[in-house]
Amino acid sequence: MELTITQPDDWHLHLRDGSLLEAVLPHSAKNFGRAIVMPNLKPPITTTSAAVTYRESILKAIPTDSNFTPLMTLYLTDLTTPDEIKLAKKSGLVYGVKLYPAGATTNSQDGVTDLFGNCFSVLEEMVEQNLPLLVHGEVTNSDVDIFDREKVFIETILEPLVQRLPQLKVVMEHITTADAVKFVESCKEGFVAATVTPQHLLLNRNALFQGGLRPHNYCLPVLKREIHRQAIVSAVTSGSKRFFLGTDSAPHDRRRKECSCGCAGIYNSPVALSLYAKVFEEAGALDKLEAFTSFNGPDFYGLPRNKSKIKLRKAPWKVPDCLSFPFGDIVPMFAGETLEWEALPC
């Protein structure tokens, strides 16, 4: 079996910087035409000038045979100004502003502490500039159970936000719960959407503990119950335009995952399209795969769909146990396992 589809984009990608960027970028550039690049570096990408500099370093690392285009983002802080939003839009290179609640995930310590109190004028300017807010949707209050943080965030932050600023475009990133599905589906189409990762489509929280602690299945937002996984699969395979591909591929050196306090993040760029195809095939919805991978994202962002094509062929292949680089090893998602679909250039 073979499918030919419009080249997909990745609407949520972590490329890191330095030698890690150079190591992982070819995996994304091989299959994706564009990617929304997350800004949570050290230091974070909080200004347009920093985004331009980061983009230049990405462009230098793109393989010569690739047409990959990075779409840059800013990291929202309590100190971000409306003028910075104007600069970002004017640059033509920044496509969204990322909201990290302070302490929510990797390198989020500089994130927002009070969205409505400190950032409302910035959000109003984002409406004026038609610049989307890209949301890591979890509260960070230690009194809230980690498995409930997305639900509570929706109730206390997102629902009030869309009521107060109904014209603000919002992407709820890497959704993990039936609550998030329900919220996105309740909002006005074209203003609120969601990215969905391979891990949250294929794994539930049991995958963290099968036969022992599984650090390479640890990500944030953390994997949830099976009932939530099923709700997300139903949503993305329904044909709804509100959901689109965002891998949240997040590479870490193996030593930073397999340690006493391991980093959150799953590296899935080499396997993402194979896994999305698996999900849609198992749901009997391969006819809806192309819209999810290649149409819904650019349509929401107001960008043209890619003109190039790729092939997805049903042919078993084994995922490497690890990917070795001079700085160390990265363990990919489903390491050592056999996948049924492979992505090929046309």
Side-chain angles (χ1 to χ4, degrees), residues 319-340:
V319 182
D321 292 323
C322 70
L323 304 166
S324 296
F325 303 98
F327 58 79
D329 296 339
I330 300 173
V331 177
M333 186 177 177
F334 281 30
E337 299 190 30
T338 298
L339 301 182
E340 296 299 319

Side-chain angles (χ1 to χ4, degrees), residues 68-325:
F68 180 81
T69 301
L71 309 177
M72 309 311 294
T73 60
L74 296 189
Y75 184 117
L76 184 65
T77 75
D78 291 337
L79 302 177
T80 303
T81 65
D83 284 344
E84 191 62 57
I85 300 303
K86 292 176 183 176
L87 282 173
K89 184 67 175 184
K90 186 178 179 180
S91 74
L93 301 175
V94 175
Y95 290 84
V97 178
K98 183 67 186 289
L99 167 61
Y100 289 103
T105 189
T106 303
N107 296 343
S108 64
Q109 61 271 16
D110 298 303
V112 171
T113 61
D114 181 354
L115 182 65
F116 296 111
N118 295 333
C119 303
F120 199 74
S121 63
V122 170
L123 299 175
E124 290 178 314
E125 187 61 40
M126 289 171 62
V127 173
E128 291 298 314
Q129 301 297 334
N130 194 30
L131 204 58
L133 180 69
L134 316 180
V135 178
H136 183 113
E138 292 187 291
V139 296
T140 55
N141 187 332
S142 61
D143 294 335
V144 179
D145 188 284
I146 192 169
F147 293 103
D148 296 329
R149 290 180 181 178
E150 185 170 279
K151 179 177 185 292
V152 174
F153 187 91
I154 293 168
E155 295 168 348
T156 60
I157 304 295
L158 274 184
E159 287 178 348
L161 176 63
V162 298
Q163 289 170 7
R164 293 180 68 177
L165 288 174
Q167 299 305 306
L168 177 66
K169 297 192 81 165
V170 176
V171 179
M172 191 173 183
E173 301 288 351
H174 42 52
I175 62 168
T176 67
T177 61
D179 308 277
V181 170
K182 183 178 179 182
F183 169 73
V184 172
E185 290 178 338
S186 74
C187 295
K188 185 177 179 182
E189 187 172 293
F191 286 91
V192 178
T195 58
V196 185
T197 75
Q199 52 267 30
H200 293 110
L201 288 169
L202 284 164
L203 303 176
N204 62 37
R205 64 187 187 177
N206 289 340
L208 288 165
F209 309 109
Q210 288 175 337
L213 191 61
R214 300 289 183 173
H216 298 288
N217 287 338
Y218 171 53
C219 59
L220 287 172
V222 72
L223 301 171
K224 302 298 195 300
R225 290 180 180 271
E226 175 65 9
I227 189 172
H228 294 296
R229 188 194 70 81
Q230 291 178 4
I232 298 168
V233 170
S234 295
V236 303
T237 59
S238 70
S240 171
K241 297 178 180 179
R242 303 170 189 264
F243 305 95
F244 43 86
L245 186 159
T247 65
D248 193 22
S249 186
H252 291 287
D253 187 303
R254 182 177 200 153
R255 291 166 293 190
R256 298 193 65 205
K257 294 286 288 180
E258 299 175 5
C259 59
S260 61
C261 186
C263 293
I266 294 176
Y267 186 56
N268 61 36
S269 287
V271 298
L273 290 182
S274 302
L275 297 179
Y276 286 123
K278 170 183 170 67
V279 170
F280 277 76
E281 181 186 32
E282 290 177 351
L286 279 174
D287 60 315
K288 298 180 176 67
L289 176 64
E290 185 176 31
F292 172 78
T293 62
S294 311
F295 298 161
N296 298 347
D299 291 354
F300 181 84
Y301 276 86
L303 296 172
R305 298 173 180 180
N306 291 324
K307 301 255 189 248
S308 52
K309 303 284 186 179
I310 67 162
K311 290 182 180 179
L312 292 169
R313 184 173 66 191
K314 195 159 189 188
W317 65 283
K318 186 178 179 183
V319 182
D321 292 323
C322 70
L323 304 166
S324 296
F325 303 98

